[in-house]
Amino acid sequence: MRQVLRKEKKFLLNIASAKQTEARVGAILPADPHNGLFGYPVRSLYFDTLHDRDYAEKLFGTDPRRKVRIRVYDPSADFALLELKQKQGDNQLKRSLPLSRHEAERIIDGDFGVLHNRPEPFAAEMHAFMSINGYRPKCIVEYDRTAFIAKENKIRVTLDRNIRATEANMDVFDPRLCMYPVLDPFNVVLEVKFNGFLLSYIKDVLGTVDKSELSVSKYCLARYVRMGFQF
């Protein structure tokens, strides 16, 4: 089980600002080794309660709140990550449990009992949490990410493009998902994640970027767009 405690800030950029940010951040921070020419794909299947409690709590700014998801980086992979993100105030705790493809598929089908076979306490916690609260798959969100990393304070600066989603197919391993755009194709989401505080030289670079703060998650954006709201 992997655990990360950090702060996270999100911003909405236009294409010009995104290009400017990528160049300026890339000049001072090492690129993620997984970055390709156009970044790397990230795909998350979000779970929620029968009455969409997590979605509603995010919209209304309830504190604390959480998100449950299964994440993959390649639909053909034989593994996935079961993740629980919990946020209180400015602090965010993310815990991740590696799953085999078979385990992930059983959880997607509603068989949380597969977590009983795991020795990790977090697996038992997630079994109880998802069962008691009636979690079910709700939405898949996918995007292309370019990331930069600083070891100090575990800083990550990411730019997410081409954000798309589907609520029609919950098979996170399907290579041919039919997805709808979540944002205007000329918008990019900038995320800044760090432990403790953001180093001043990175803050100075980001301060020169034309951006607006974004408080809504990709999951909520995807559900909003599907219901006809516009950003």
Side-chain angles (χ1 to χ4, degrees), residues 73-144:
Y73 296 94
D74 181 352
S76 65
D78 58 1
F79 73 96
L81 296 172
L82 175 62
E83 298 186 336
L84 175 64
K85 292 182 71 174
Q86 297 165 282
K87 185 170 184 180
Q88 184 166 10
D90 290 333
N91 295 311
Q92 179 175 266
L93 174 65
K94 183 177 78 171
R95 291 181 286 167
S96 304
L97 178 71
L99 301 173
S100 69
R101 181 169 180 148
H102 175 67
E103 290 172 327
E105 289 172 338
R106 285 182 61 181
I107 291 171
I108 293 168
D109 289 339
D111 180 9
F112 304 145
V114 68
L115 294 170
H116 270 315
N117 301 325
R118 299 292 298 263
E120 299 90 347
F122 180 58
E125 179 185 339
M126 289 302 293
H127 173 265
F129 180 70
M130 296 178 74
S131 299
I132 291 170
N133 291 285
Y135 274 85
R136 294 294 182 269
K138 294 287 184 170
C139 178
I140 291 177
V141 178
E142 186 175 58
Y143 47 88
D144 302 314

Side-chain angles (χ1 to χ4, degrees), residues 151-189:
K151 292 181 179 179
E152 300 84 359
N153 293 355
K154 296 184 178 179
I155 295 169
R156 283 180 62 85
V157 178
T158 61
L159 295 120
D160 298 335
R161 302 174 172 84
N162 191 23
I163 303 171
R164 59 259 188 205
T166 181
E167 295 180 39
N169 183 351
M170 298 297 104
D171 183 1
V172 74
F173 296 104
D174 188 338
R176 295 180 296 274
L177 288 177
C178 182
M179 312 186 86
Y180 54 85
V182 169
L183 289 175
D184 185 291
F186 296 104
N187 288 143
V188 176
V189 174

Side-chain angles (χ1 to χ4, degrees), residues 189-210:
V189 174
L190 167 68
E191 295 186 3
V192 184
K193 305 165 188 177
F194 54 95
N195 287 3
F197 61 92
L198 187 61
L199 298 179
S200 59
Y201 73 96
I202 301 174
K203 185 185 296 185
D204 290 344
V205 167
L206 295 174
T208 65
V209 177
D210 182 18

